[in-house]
Amino acid sequence: HDRNVMRELILSSRTMGRRIGFIPTMGSLHAGHTSLVDQAVAECNDVVTSIFVNPSQFGPQEDFEQYPRDFDADFNLLARHDVRWIFAPDVHEMYPPGDSTRIEIDGPAEPYEGTLRPGHFSGVATIVFRLLQAAPSHAVYFGAKDWQQVLVVRKMVHDLKLDVEVMTCPTVRDTDGLALSSRNTYLSESERNRAQTIYAALEQAAQNWCRGLAIDTIEQKVRDMLSAKEIQIDYADIVHTESLKKISEVSQNTPAIFLIACRVGSTRLIDNILLPSQALSSC
Ligand code: PAF
Protein backbone atom coordinates (compact mmCIF):
# COMPACT_ATOMS: atom_id res chain seq x y z
CA HIS A 1 0.00 0.00 0.00
CA ASP A 2 2.96 2.30 0.63
CA ARG A 3 4.63 4.14 -2.28
CA ASN A 4 8.06 4.21 -0.67
CA VAL A 5 8.01 0.55 0.28
CA MET A 6 6.90 -0.36 -3.23
CA ARG A 7 9.67 1.72 -4.78
CA GLU A 8 12.36 0.21 -2.53
CA LEU A 9 11.28 -3.34 -3.37
CA ILE A 10 11.44 -2.63 -7.07
CA LEU A 11 14.71 -0.73 -6.96
CA SER A 12 16.37 -3.52 -5.02
CA SER A 13 15.14 -6.05 -7.56
CA ARG A 14 16.46 -3.84 -10.37
CA THR A 15 19.92 -3.74 -8.79
CA MET A 16 20.01 -7.52 -9.20
CA GLY A 17 19.57 -7.01 -12.95
CA ARG A 18 15.95 -8.09 -13.02
CA ARG A 19 13.59 -6.67 -15.67
CA ILE A 20 10.39 -5.27 -14.17
CA GLY A 21 7.04 -5.18 -15.97
CA PHE A 22 4.17 -3.05 -14.67
CA ILE A 23 0.42 -3.27 -15.35
CA PRO A 24 -1.56 -0.31 -13.97
CA THR A 25 -5.23 -1.21 -13.42
CA MET A 26 -8.33 0.03 -11.65
CA GLY A 27 -9.13 -3.50 -10.48
CA SER A 28 -12.28 -5.47 -11.33
CA LEU A 29 -9.90 -7.58 -13.33
CA HIS A 30 -10.83 -9.74 -16.31
CA ALA A 31 -9.07 -11.70 -19.04
CA GLY A 32 -8.07 -8.45 -20.76
CA HIS A 33 -5.99 -7.51 -17.72
CA THR A 34 -4.56 -10.99 -17.27
CA SER A 35 -3.47 -11.02 -20.92
CA LEU A 36 -1.36 -7.95 -20.11
CA VAL A 37 -0.02 -9.71 -17.01
CA ASP A 38 0.80 -12.85 -19.01
CA GLN A 39 2.67 -10.85 -21.64
CA ALA A 40 4.62 -9.03 -18.92
CA VAL A 41 5.41 -12.33 -17.15
CA ALA A 42 6.71 -13.72 -20.46
CA GLU A 43 8.94 -10.68 -21.06
CA CYS A 44 10.08 -9.68 -17.57
CA ASN A 45 11.58 -11.22 -14.42
CA ASP A 46 9.23 -9.56 -11.96
CA VAL A 47 5.73 -8.24 -12.58
CA VAL A 48 3.94 -5.63 -10.52
CA THR A 49 0.25 -4.76 -10.90
CA SER A 50 -1.44 -1.76 -9.35
CA ILE A 51 -5.07 -1.70 -8.29
CA PHE A 52 -6.28 1.85 -7.81
CA VAL A 53 -9.59 3.40 -8.84
CA ASN A 54 -8.23 6.80 -9.75
CA PRO A 55 -10.65 9.58 -8.78
CA SER A 56 -8.95 12.27 -10.86
CA GLN A 57 -9.85 10.60 -14.18
CA PHE A 58 -13.61 10.52 -13.49
CA GLY A 59 -15.82 13.50 -14.26
CA PRO A 60 -18.32 14.72 -11.64
CA GLN A 61 -21.24 12.93 -13.37
CA GLU A 62 -19.28 9.73 -13.99
CA ASP A 63 -19.22 6.35 -12.28
CA PHE A 64 -16.39 6.70 -9.73
CA GLU A 65 -18.62 5.64 -6.80
CA GLN A 66 -20.24 2.74 -8.66
CA TYR A 67 -17.03 1.51 -10.30
CA PRO A 68 -16.84 -2.22 -9.44
CA ARG A 69 -14.36 -3.05 -6.67
CA ASP A 70 -13.49 -6.57 -5.48
CA PHE A 71 -9.98 -6.64 -4.07
CA ASP A 72 -10.07 -10.28 -2.90
CA ALA A 73 -11.14 -11.59 -6.30
CA ASP A 74 -8.46 -9.44 -8.00
CA PHE A 75 -5.81 -10.61 -5.54
CA ASN A 76 -6.62 -14.28 -6.13
CA LEU A 77 -6.65 -13.85 -9.89
CA LEU A 78 -3.28 -12.08 -9.93
CA ALA A 79 -1.77 -14.68 -7.60
CA ARG A 80 -2.65 -17.34 -10.20
CA HIS A 81 -0.83 -15.34 -12.91
CA ASP A 82 2.61 -15.09 -11.29
CA VAL A 83 2.42 -11.45 -10.31
CA ARG A 84 5.14 -10.73 -7.76
CA TRP A 85 3.73 -7.55 -6.23
CA ILE A 86 0.31 -5.91 -6.05
CA PHE A 87 0.43 -2.21 -5.31
CA ALA A 88 -2.93 -1.12 -3.88
CA PRO A 89 -2.54 2.35 -2.38
CA ASP A 90 -5.39 4.32 -0.85
CA VAL A 91 -6.44 7.69 -2.25
CA HIS A 92 -4.35 9.71 0.22
CA GLU A 93 -1.25 7.74 -0.64
CA MET A 94 -1.51 8.86 -4.28
CA TYR A 95 -3.16 12.27 -3.65
CA PRO A 96 -2.09 13.55 -0.24
CA PRO A 97 -4.42 16.18 1.27
CA GLY A 98 -3.81 19.55 -0.38
CA ASP A 99 -2.27 17.97 -3.49
CA SER A 100 -2.98 20.06 -6.58
CA THR A 101 -0.37 19.07 -9.17
CA ARG A 102 -1.62 17.62 -12.46
CA ILE A 103 -0.06 16.69 -15.79
CA GLU A 104 -1.73 18.27 -18.83
CA ILE A 105 -1.09 16.92 -22.31
CA ASP A 106 -2.07 18.54 -25.61
CA GLY A 107 -2.18 16.76 -28.97
CA PRO A 108 -3.48 13.20 -28.53
CA ALA A 109 -5.32 14.11 -25.33
CA GLU A 110 -7.45 16.77 -27.05
CA PRO A 111 -9.96 15.16 -29.44
CA TYR A 112 -12.56 12.45 -28.80
CA GLU A 113 -12.35 11.31 -25.15
CA GLY A 114 -10.45 14.51 -24.34
CA THR A 115 -13.37 16.65 -25.51
CA LEU A 116 -16.16 14.44 -24.19
CA ARG A 117 -14.52 13.76 -20.83
CA PRO A 118 -12.76 17.01 -19.87
CA GLY A 119 -9.92 16.36 -17.42
CA HIS A 120 -9.97 12.60 -18.01
CA PHE A 121 -6.55 12.33 -19.63
CA SER A 122 -5.01 14.76 -17.20
CA GLY A 123 -6.15 12.37 -14.46
CA VAL A 124 -4.82 9.34 -16.35
CA ALA A 125 -1.44 10.94 -17.08
CA THR A 126 -1.06 12.19 -13.50
CA ILE A 127 -1.76 8.80 -11.97
CA VAL A 128 0.32 6.84 -14.47
CA PHE A 129 3.25 9.18 -13.76
CA ARG A 130 2.84 8.77 -9.99
CA LEU A 131 2.40 5.01 -10.26
CA LEU A 132 5.58 4.82 -12.32
CA GLN A 133 7.40 6.72 -9.59
CA ALA A 134 6.19 4.16 -7.06
CA ALA A 135 6.85 1.26 -9.43
CA PRO A 136 9.89 2.29 -11.52
CA SER A 137 9.62 -0.39 -14.19
CA HIS A 138 11.35 -1.19 -17.47
CA ALA A 139 8.07 -1.71 -19.30
CA VAL A 140 4.46 -0.68 -18.71
CA TYR A 141 1.59 -2.57 -20.39
CA PHE A 142 -1.69 -1.20 -21.76
CA GLY A 143 -4.56 -2.67 -23.78
CA ALA A 144 -5.24 -1.46 -27.33
CA LYS A 145 -8.94 -1.06 -26.50
CA ASP A 146 -8.05 2.27 -24.89
CA TRP A 147 -6.19 3.39 -28.00
CA GLN A 148 -6.23 7.10 -27.20
CA GLN A 149 -5.00 6.42 -23.67
CA VAL A 150 -2.00 4.58 -25.12
CA LEU A 151 -1.18 7.58 -27.35
CA VAL A 152 -1.47 9.94 -24.39
CA VAL A 153 0.82 7.83 -22.20
CA ARG A 154 3.33 7.46 -25.05
CA LYS A 155 3.35 11.25 -25.51
CA MET A 156 3.94 11.82 -21.80
CA VAL A 157 6.74 9.24 -21.72
CA HIS A 158 8.35 10.86 -24.75
CA ASP A 159 7.98 14.48 -23.62
CA LEU A 160 9.09 13.86 -20.02
CA LYS A 161 11.79 11.42 -21.16
CA LEU A 162 10.56 8.78 -18.75
CA ASP A 163 12.76 5.71 -18.77
CA VAL A 164 10.07 3.13 -19.50
CA GLU A 165 8.91 1.23 -22.59
CA VAL A 166 5.19 1.50 -23.33
CA MET A 167 3.84 -1.84 -24.57
CA THR A 168 0.46 -2.18 -26.29
CA CYS A 169 -1.36 -5.53 -26.19
CA PRO A 170 -4.30 -6.69 -28.32
CA THR A 171 -7.88 -6.21 -27.13
CA VAL A 172 -9.36 -9.34 -25.56
CA ARG A 173 -12.92 -10.11 -26.63
CA ASP A 174 -15.75 -12.29 -25.46
CA THR A 175 -16.84 -15.10 -27.79
CA ASP A 176 -19.43 -12.79 -29.40
CA GLY A 177 -16.78 -10.10 -30.04
CA LEU A 178 -17.62 -7.67 -27.24
CA ALA A 179 -14.37 -6.16 -25.93
CA LEU A 180 -13.80 -7.07 -22.29
CA SER A 181 -14.28 -4.12 -19.97
CA SER A 182 -14.96 -3.77 -16.27
CA ARG A 183 -17.96 -1.64 -17.28
CA ASN A 184 -19.60 -4.59 -19.10
CA THR A 185 -20.89 -5.65 -15.66
CA TYR A 186 -23.27 -2.64 -15.81
CA LEU A 187 -25.09 -4.11 -18.85
CA SER A 188 -28.42 -5.89 -18.45
CA GLU A 189 -28.86 -9.11 -20.41
CA SER A 190 -30.66 -7.39 -23.27
CA GLU A 191 -28.11 -4.54 -23.35
CA ARG A 192 -25.33 -7.14 -23.37
CA ASN A 193 -26.93 -8.73 -26.47
CA ARG A 194 -27.23 -5.38 -28.21
CA ALA A 195 -23.64 -4.49 -27.32
CA GLN A 196 -22.26 -7.29 -29.51
CA THR A 197 -23.25 -5.15 -32.50
CA ILE A 198 -20.33 -2.83 -31.74
CA TYR A 199 -17.70 -5.33 -32.82
CA ALA A 200 -19.87 -6.70 -35.62
CA ALA A 201 -20.07 -3.13 -36.98
CA LEU A 202 -16.30 -2.67 -36.66
CA GLU A 203 -15.62 -5.93 -38.49
CA GLN A 204 -17.98 -4.93 -41.25
CA ALA A 205 -16.17 -1.57 -41.46
CA ALA A 206 -12.81 -3.33 -41.87
CA GLN A 207 -14.25 -5.43 -44.73
CA ASN A 208 -15.72 -2.37 -46.40
CA TRP A 209 -12.39 -0.57 -46.00
CA CYS A 210 -10.68 -3.45 -47.81
CA ARG A 211 -13.30 -3.30 -50.56
CA GLY A 212 -12.41 0.36 -51.05
CA LEU A 213 -15.78 1.88 -50.11
CA ALA A 214 -15.75 5.63 -49.46
CA ILE A 215 -14.92 6.63 -45.87
CA ASP A 216 -18.27 8.40 -45.37
CA THR A 217 -20.12 5.27 -46.53
CA ILE A 218 -18.14 2.99 -44.23
CA GLU A 219 -18.80 5.27 -41.25
CA GLN A 220 -22.48 5.66 -42.10
CA LYS A 221 -23.00 1.88 -42.30
CA VAL A 222 -21.51 1.54 -38.80
CA ARG A 223 -23.76 4.33 -37.47
CA ASP A 224 -26.79 2.65 -39.07
CA MET A 225 -25.98 -0.72 -37.51
CA LEU A 226 -25.57 0.81 -34.06
CA SER A 227 -28.65 3.01 -34.34
CA ALA A 228 -30.75 0.01 -35.40
CA LYS A 229 -29.97 -1.48 -31.98
CA GLU A 230 -30.70 1.82 -30.20
CA ILE A 231 -27.08 2.35 -29.36
CA GLN A 232 -26.31 6.06 -28.91
CA ILE A 233 -23.16 7.11 -30.72
CA ASP A 234 -20.67 9.59 -29.28
CA TYR A 235 -18.32 9.12 -32.23
CA ALA A 236 -17.72 6.56 -34.95
CA ASP A 237 -14.80 7.79 -37.05
CA ILE A 238 -11.95 6.56 -39.19
CA VAL A 239 -8.80 8.37 -38.08
CA HIS A 240 -5.03 8.23 -38.44
CA THR A 241 -3.67 5.80 -35.83
CA GLU A 242 -1.15 8.31 -34.41
CA SER A 243 -2.50 11.81 -35.05
CA LEU A 244 -6.17 10.85 -34.55
CA LYS A 245 -6.95 13.21 -37.44
CA LYS A 246 -9.96 12.27 -39.60
CA ILE A 247 -9.04 10.46 -42.79
CA SER A 248 -10.98 11.58 -45.81
CA GLU A 249 -9.84 9.08 -48.46
CA VAL A 250 -9.10 5.36 -48.35
CA SER A 251 -5.39 5.17 -48.99
CA GLN A 252 -3.06 2.22 -49.17
CA ASN A 253 -0.42 3.60 -46.91
CA THR A 254 -2.26 5.56 -44.25
CA PRO A 255 -2.29 3.69 -40.94
CA ALA A 256 -5.94 3.95 -39.97
CA ILE A 257 -8.15 2.93 -37.09
CA PHE A 258 -11.93 2.99 -36.64
CA LEU A 259 -12.75 4.45 -33.21
CA ILE A 260 -16.16 4.07 -31.56
CA ALA A 261 -17.57 5.44 -28.33
CA CYS A 262 -21.22 4.77 -27.66
CA ARG A 263 -23.83 4.24 -24.98
CA VAL A 264 -25.84 1.08 -24.54
CA GLY A 265 -28.52 2.14 -22.09
CA SER A 266 -26.57 4.22 -19.59
CA THR A 267 -23.31 2.31 -20.05
CA ARG A 268 -20.63 4.03 -22.08
CA LEU A 269 -18.37 1.69 -24.06
CA ILE A 270 -15.41 2.29 -26.36
CA ASP A 271 -13.87 0.01 -28.95
CA ASN A 272 -11.78 0.17 -32.11
CA ILE A 273 -10.38 -1.84 -34.98
CA LEU A 274 -7.15 -1.29 -36.88
CA LEU A 275 -7.86 -1.01 -40.60
CA PRO A 276 -5.40 -3.14 -42.51
CA SER A 277 -3.13 -1.64 -45.10
CA GLN A 278 -4.76 -2.61 -48.39
CA ALA A 279 -1.40 -3.83 -49.66
CA LEU A 280 -1.49 -6.56 -47.00
CA SER A 281 -2.97 -10.00 -47.42
CA SER A 282 -5.09 -9.38 -44.29
CA CYS A 283 -7.19 -7.10 -46.46
O1 PAF B 1 -6.92 1.93 -18.15
C1 PAF B 1 -7.11 2.03 -16.93
O2 PAF B 1 -7.58 1.10 -16.27
C2 PAF B 1 -6.77 3.34 -16.22
O3 PAF B 1 -7.00 4.42 -17.05
C3 PAF B 1 -5.30 3.36 -15.69
C4 PAF B 1 -4.30 3.28 -16.82
C5 PAF B 1 -5.09 2.19 -14.73
C6 PAF B 1 -5.05 4.65 -14.92
O4 PAF B 1 -5.89 4.78 -13.83
Side-chain angles (χ1 to χ4, degrees):
H1 301 291
D2 183 304
R3 293 209 235 191
N4 296 326
V5 172
M6 184 74 261
R7 189 176 163 83
E8 285 314 311
L9 286 167
I10 290 184
L11 290 179
S12 87
S13 187
R14 287 182 69 128
T15 58
M16 290 184 273
R18 295 177 72 80
R19 180 174 170 84
I20 316 292
F22 174 42
I23 300 98
T25 83
M26 299 207 298
S28 183
L29 303 178
H30 50 64
H33 297 109
T34 53
S35 75
L36 306 179
V37 170
D38 293 343
Q39 185 161 335
V41 166
E43 295 173 354
C44 303
N45 302 110
D46 293 321
V47 170
V48 52
T49 300
S50 63
I51 297 177
F52 180 68
V53 185
N54 173 37
S56 72
Q57 71 188 75
F58 290 80
Q61 309 304 325
E62 293 184 359
D63 56 342
F64 174 68
E65 295 297 341
Q66 285 153 271
Y67 198 84
R69 293 160 170 88
D70 188 345
F71 182 78
D72 292 344
D74 291 344
F75 184 96
N76 291 328
L77 186 62
L78 293 173
R80 291 200 297 276
H81 283 263
D82 286 339
V83 163
R84 179 154 186 202
W85 300 290
I86 298 171
F87 180 51
D90 69 15
V91 173
H92 285 161
E93 185 68 8
M94 298 317 290
Y95 298 103
D99 172 278
S100 62
T101 300
R102 295 288 178 272
I103 294 177
E104 294 290 341
I105 296 172
D106 297 337
E110 286 175 298
Y112 297 107
E113 296 302 297
T115 308
L116 292 165
R117 303 182 67 190
H120 170 67
F121 284 129
S122 172
V124 169
T126 301
I127 196 62
V128 170
F129 181 86
R130 291 179 186 198
L131 289 169
L132 282 167
Q133 284 184 311
S137 306
H138 296 90
V140 59
Y141 292 77
F142 293 92
K145 182 175 81 69
D146 296 298
W147 187 263
Q148 198 178 353
Q149 171 170 275
V150 174
L151 296 182
V152 169
V153 172
R154 281 188 191 282
K155 180 81 174 120
M156 172 178 74
V157 165
H158 174 268
D159 289 355
L160 300 182
K161 297 195 178 354
L162 303 183
D163 191 12
V164 63
E165 263 182 88
V166 181
M167 317 298 279
T168 313
C169 306
T171 301
V172 177
R173 300 181 180 280
D174 231 321
T175 44
D176 62 2
L178 182 67
L180 297 190
S181 160
S182 306
R183 291 191 167 100
N184 292 353
T185 56
Y186 299 153
L187 298 168
S188 68
E189 203 181 320
S190 79
E191 288 170 344
R192 176 68 188 68
N193 288 335
R194 286 194 281 136
Q196 53 180 285
T197 312
I198 301 167
Y199 187 58
L202 285 171
E203 275 195 309
Q204 189 214 60
Q207 284 162 12
N208 287 336
W209 167 266
C210 287
R211 288 195 196 115
L213 263 63
I215 301 267
D216 285 353
T217 312
I218 301 172
E219 290 174 345
Q220 193 53 50
K221 283 176 181 291
V222 166
R223 293 195 182 105
D224 291 346
M225 268 179 92
L226 297 176
S227 302
K229 296 284 176 183
E230 290 175 18
I231 295 174
Q232 315 298 315
I233 300 161
D234 281 351
Y235 53 82
D237 284 352
I238 294 177
V239 298
H240 189 285
T241 52
E242 304 302 309
S243 71
L244 299 183
K245 294 255 180 338
K246 284 266 304 166
I247 292 178
S248 51
E249 260 174 42
V250 177
S251 129
Q252 292 229 336
N253 303 319
T254 312
I257 187 165
F258 201 125
L259 298 179
I260 290 183
C262 58
R263 274 159 291 126
V264 186
S266 56
T267 304
R268 190 169 187 277
L269 300 174
I270 60 172
D271 201 352
N272 63 67
I273 196 166
L274 283 167
L275 299 171
S277 154
Q278 287 162 338
L280 290 180
S281 55
S282 55
C283 221

